[in-house]
């Protein structure tokens, strides 16, 4: 399952282009590593079984998961999605632990690589407005809605 905005990358076996947007020591190291590696390497192309379209939520009831839905949450990539069950969201790389891969994973920050930084903020707010109380990221967390709201306030 993939959103239409990222489906072409899956078919081509190429990662979506993301831009290092954060500042500070971790961001500086990440930028240098990305430049030296020539970016994130490709992967075996695949044809997605399910391509999500538009900005609406997609229920997974047809797949035996009636309480689970997929929410379009662009930011890290143009086609980023989050999976929501009750008041918990699995958000992938929308947010990042402030300490990076080895440091403080408790406090959230916006990911250091974003394709659409302004949309990342909107996507996080969308999840909070939907009643999400716990956000589980790919690099850090889980984070409470309270800590994520604090991030939105401090980064206005």
């Amino acid at each position: 399952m993939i959103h239409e905005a990222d489906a072409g990358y899956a078919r081509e076996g190429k990662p979506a282009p993301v831009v290092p947007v954060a500042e500070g020591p971790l961001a500086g190291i990440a930028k240098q590593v990305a430049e030296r590696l020539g970016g994130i390497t490709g992967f075996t192309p695949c044809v997605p079984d399910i391509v999500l379209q538009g900005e609406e939520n997609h229920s997974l009831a047809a797949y035996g998961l009636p309480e689970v839905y997929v929410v379009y949450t662009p930011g890290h990539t143009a086609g980023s999605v989050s999976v929501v069950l009750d008041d918990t969201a699995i958000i992938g790389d929308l947010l990042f632990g402030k300490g990076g891969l080895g440091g403080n994973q408790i406090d959230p920050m916006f990911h250091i690589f974003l394709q659409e930084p302004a949309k990342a903020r909107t996507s996080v707010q969308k999840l909070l407005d939907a009643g999400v109380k716990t956000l589980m990221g790919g690099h850090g967390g889980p984070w409470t809605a309270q800590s994520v709201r604090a991030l939105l306030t401090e980064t206005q």
Side-chain angles (χ1 to χ4, degrees), residues 7 11 17-18 25 40-42 49-50 53 55 62 67 80 85 91 110 112 125 135 140-141 143:
R11 290 184 192 102
V18 291
I40 300 170
T41 59
D49 292 330
I50 302 166
Q53 298 179 353
E55 296 185 17
E67 291 109 19
S80 291
L85 170 62
I91 63 168
F110 284 100
I112 59 175
Q125 187 64 58
L135 295 91
W143 301 293

Side-chain angles (χ1 to χ4, degrees), residues 64-148:
L65 302 166
E67 291 109 19
V68 180
Y69 59 97
V70 178
V71 178
Y72 177 55
T73 52
H76 181 62
T77 68
S80 291
V81 296
S82 297
V83 178
V84 178
L85 170 62
D86 297 324
D87 62 358
T88 300
I90 301 169
I91 63 168
D93 288 343
L94 194 56
L95 296 175
F96 196 79
K98 270 190 182 172
L101 298 176
N104 172 1
Q105 299 297 309
I106 298 168
D107 297 319
M109 65 182 245
F110 284 100
H111 201 287
I112 59 175
F113 291 100
L114 295 172
Q115 191 175 39
E116 300 182 327
K119 288 187 179 180
R121 180 180 196 78
T122 302
S123 292
V124 169
Q125 187 64 58
K126 176 181 180 179
L127 292 169
L128 294 174
D129 291 347
V132 168
K133 293 186 174 127
T134 304
L135 295 91
M136 304 180 70
H139 303 281
W143 301 293
T144 64
Q146 180 181 353
S147 68
V148 173

